[in-house]
Amino acid sequence: MSAVDVGRPGRPSRPGLLGGIWRGLRARFYGNNFLVLITIVLFAAMYIVGIFIYRDKNFGSLNSFFDMLNSNPGLIVIAAGMTMVLVSGGIDISVGSQVAMYCMMLAYFMEHKGVSAATMIVVVLVTGIVFGLVQGVLVAYFRIQPFIVTLAGMFFARGMTAMISPQTIDITNRDFMGLATKRIYFPFGGYTNAAGVYQRPFIYLSVVLAVFALLVVFTIMTWTKFGRNVYAVGGGEQSALLMGLNTRRTKLTVYTFNGLLTAFGGFLFCLFSTGGAVEKAQGFEMQAIASSVIGGALLTGGVGNVIGSFFGVLVQTTITKFINFNGTLANGWSSIVLAAIMSFFIILQSVFAYVRNKRR
Amino acid sequence: MSDVVTRDAGPAAGPGPGGAARRVFRRILHSRLTFPLVCLLLVLLLNVIVTTATTGSPGPFFQIALTNGTLNGPLITILNRSSELVILALGMTMTVSCSAGTDISVGAVMAFSGSVSIWLLGFGTLPQNDYHVKAYVVPYVVGLLVAVLVGALCGVWNGFLVSRLRIQPMVATLILFTGGRGLAKVFADGQIDKVDVASYKWLGNFIQDSSGKNIVPVPTAIFIAGGMVLVTALVLRYTPLGMNIQAVGINNKASRILGLKSARLILLAYVFCGVCAAIAGIIATSRIGGIDANNCGKLIELDAILAVALGGNSLAGGKFSLSGSVIGAITIQALTTVLYSINVSADQLPFYKAIVVVIIVVLQSPETRPMWERFKARWRRTAPSVTAGDAA
């Protein structure tokens, strides 16, 4: 402890119990995970308030909580990928259009061309990797701003969706629907509805897959060389380069991996929405970015946590649920409240950045 | 003048008629406006080819006819339809130049300011009249001014976040991008509000007299866009504002040390961008005679950014060319027109725009030229050995 003490001269090298706690808190405060902590506290507070306000609507039941996850498996995965891209110092605004494209691919080829579900899932994942690879090459090797590259990707994917088919196609493929409706029941935490029937809480298989993907991304970002490289590149590209990192290849890998995650998220989104349409997943990219920002990712890069983005998704869903449960508010309000929460977090981030710069 | 030419060409160009021609050529090649103009000409050429292919002669594309007191023709349509984009591109050029960032909230601000002005024009009477404004409750001019004021306030918010709190422009404007449309929906009560007063449609269509006859044959939007371009260009040219904004964009810190109030300049650019968005919103709502909060200015921010990039402006900030952005905006509208005329649906349009964007940015990329040189060098090195192998 004393060996690594970097306290100012004149201070005792070994802090007391309170001093230790204070130092620990201060390290947390300035550390990367403090914003995540705020998000989690905010979510918990909102949820507890919701339980009391909407007591009659079973807000507190496990069903209600699982419902929030069940409607967002795609967003969970894509927000995790977005966090990774943001940490690397980039941005990807093409994910919403990509999701629409993958949904349309799945729907069109399974319904109109009779391709099997398993083949199509593989095709979608490979398409995602290729899409990410092309974007990555443009960002990393041609040094074009990520915003512009993914803007083109956004246009491309949305136009491609309309090229595949301009119609709305519902999926009826039996294997796919089997996957989509697979429920995993929980033995407790349900509620009895007005008719006196006990409602068992359940989650869809897609949520399990989404959480699994989230944990994989978290593991990669936290405990692998590649993950640490991403943080290094985002934190300061010049320093990372001088340190001997292949920053270009790291960026390329980030975008390629994000392409794969987006394709997987698109597949999960399709499991929930079971159909393809040109207008699908409109504004999805902004939801993903908002989740990451609320979850503590700095858009300047280098700071962010995949787990935070998961709570960002939950905070967003809770807002929507509040607005829906209220019933009297116009639908514009959910985006207004979301914008307000986002500005709170963004301003908080800038205050942190200011304080941190001042300390240096 | 001649002094400039000799300095540009340098002593290496040498004397003689060939040298002069080369000098002129080089000047044209190095002009900032060459690239956007070539793009515009290419797209217009495409228009001409398509018109020729469908009607048998290139004539109809250039035809401008006076029917029912209005000028009609593809060129007029392109100019008319591009006016919102031209106005937005002006504001966007300023924000890109001084903060190296794009304002992605312009589409939402368009919808927001439009819906606030209609809410005010039909204040309190909207629900009774089935969301139609039958008569102005407040004077029309007040409605317009309030719309501009709303745009300016949105600009102040964006500019405050960017200049004072040092938030990345895209993130700062993301807030209004998300919330602006929601606010528009709240003011429009979640409905599509219509205005039934004839004068409301003047700004987006034609100015008419009381009997409904068109007085001015040219669409009003062209005048508004032209006026905006003129005023902006004159202000930037005859005040130090343009140079100061560029200075802040090139090096924020250095210009602050020089004594420029960089934060205030950035704020000003965002306010200007908001005002531009509000004016574009007025035109857009006037065109359809009402506000559709979901679709007013939808995805137009991306077209505006594209217009700035097409105009040869670096998205990394610094020097800007206003005329380039204007040409870029018209090019996009011309491209849209040609794609519509070959039966590309509105949904498929983004696909082609994406290809155009990628080609432009790859050509503009600083990495492309070295990459091409490396490729050429490698090809030269391997080429002789291949021919030698063939000979053997």
Side-chain angles (χ1 to χ4, degrees), chain B residues 129-360:
Chain B
N129 291 340
D130 195 24
Y131 296 98
H132 281 251
V133 178
K134 303 275 187 207
Y136 294 147
V137 177
V138 297
Y140 180 46
V141 180
V142 175
L144 292 187
L145 285 179
V146 165
V148 172
L149 188 71
V150 168
L153 284 177
C154 290
V156 169
W157 166 251
N158 285 335
F160 169 74
L161 291 180
V162 174
S163 64
R164 302 282 164 185
L165 299 185
R166 309 270 168 83
I167 295 163
Q168 272 200 333
M170 212 213 105
V171 186
T173 51
L174 179 67
I175 294 171
L176 267 182
F177 176 91
T178 320
R181 228 164 258 288
L183 287 168
K185 273 187 220 167
V186 168
F187 274 96
D189 232 350
Q191 309 281 332
I192 297 175
D193 297 352
K194 290 275 180 194
V195 180
D196 292 345
V197 187
S199 66
Y200 191 79
K201 292 198 175 176
W202 286 0
L203 290 182
N205 300 286
F206 295 93
I207 294 180
Q208 299 169 326
D209 59 11
S210 53
S211 62
K213 235 182 86 194
N214 298 328
I215 306 169
V216 185
V218 182
T220 326
I222 294 181
F223 289 117
I224 302 175
M228 284 292 291
V229 173
L230 203 66
V231 169
T232 316
L234 286 179
V235 167
L236 291 180
R237 179 125 185 101
Y238 291 106
T239 65
L241 207 59
M243 204 175 65
N244 290 354
I245 285 178
Q246 293 189 9
V248 171
I250 291 167
N251 193 333
N252 191 338
K253 210 169 189 174
S255 52
R256 207 169 49 240
I257 292 168
L258 269 171
L260 290 181
K261 296 214 161 36
S262 62
R264 201 178 290 173
L265 282 167
I266 292 174
L267 183 72
L268 191 69
Y270 277 86
V271 173
F272 178 66
C273 192
V275 170
C276 284
I279 293 172
I282 289 170
I283 297 177
T285 48
S286 170
R287 238 186 245 289
I288 60 165
I291 175 79
D292 178 359
N294 278 322
N295 292 316
C296 177
K298 188 170 151 192
L299 292 182
I300 204 169
E301 52 274 350
L302 307 178
D303 276 351
I305 297 166
L306 184 54
V308 174
L310 254 176
N313 297 303
S314 161
L315 289 165
K319 282 194 155 191
F320 65 83
S321 148
L322 214 56
S323 39
S325 297
V326 172
I327 293 171
I330 297 172
T331 309
I332 291 169
Q333 192 54 46
L335 181 69
T336 312
T337 312
V338 71
L339 289 175
Y340 277 141
S341 63
I342 54 170
N343 291 329
V344 171
S345 76
D347 290 333
Q348 294 169 347
L349 209 59
F351 177 81
Y352 299 96
K353 279 188 189 162
I355 292 171
V356 174
V357 178
V358 169
I359 292 173
I360 293 167

